[in-house]
Amino acid sequence: MEELARVRSDFVSRVTTEILTQLLEALVCDTVLNELEKESILEKNLARADKARSFIDTVRKKGDKACKITIKHLQIKDPSLFSQLRLNSDPSAQQGEVMHHRP
């Protein structure tokens, strides 16, 4: 699922530290990330943008399911950012978007 790859730069420039922390907490609760990974993202990156980049890259390495869970949490925790990124939590709706690529 390359949905997160598509929105990576927008996510990095728009997400707040608060939302990022909430997303990390939620993903630890869902066992998508472990406590160590969460700490690593927060402590190794001083700048908010670097934390966000590291977050997206870590989740993407975990595969499709992790990406879908992350998108769902983002929809709940920051609906406005979710819609700005034009993400879609419904996989069947994403199929339709693929058709709209310009040649």
Side-chain angles (χ1 to χ4, degrees):
M1 179 174 178
E2 287 305 293
E3 197 77 349
L4 287 181
R6 179 178 63 77
V7 301
R8 184 177 183 259
S9 61
D10 273 350
F11 177 85
V12 167
S13 63
R14 294 172 190 224
V15 74
T16 64
T17 305
E18 185 188 350
I19 292 296
L20 199 53
T21 306
Q22 287 178 22
L23 287 171
L24 284 164
E25 293 287 337
L27 292 181
V28 168
C29 289
D30 283 354
T31 66
V32 172
L33 299 176
N34 62 40
E35 199 63 41
L36 207 63
E37 289 167 316
K38 181 187 92 169
E39 296 304 324
S40 168
I41 290 168
L42 292 173
E43 289 170 13
K44 286 188 183 162
N45 305 287
L46 296 176
R48 181 203 51 80
D50 293 335
K51 285 180 176 49
R53 249 179 238 109
S54 176
F55 170 76
I56 290 275
D57 296 343
T58 303
V59 170
R60 281 181 57 215
K61 285 178 197 147
K62 301 269 183 184
D64 282 4
K65 191 176 175 203
C67 292
K68 286 184 178 109
I69 292 170
T70 303
I71 289 169
K72 222 171 268 173
H73 280 301
L74 180 61
Q75 185 177 21
I76 295 161
K77 299 196 179 303
D78 194 340
S80 128
L81 177 59
F82 177 86
S83 63
Q84 284 169 3
L85 296 175
R86 294 189 305 284
L87 283 167
N88 214 318
S89 59
D90 177 8
S92 62
Q94 285 164 8
Q95 303 293 304
E97 283 180 22
V98 176
M99 307 297 181
H100 299 300
H101 283 270
R102 290 184 197 140

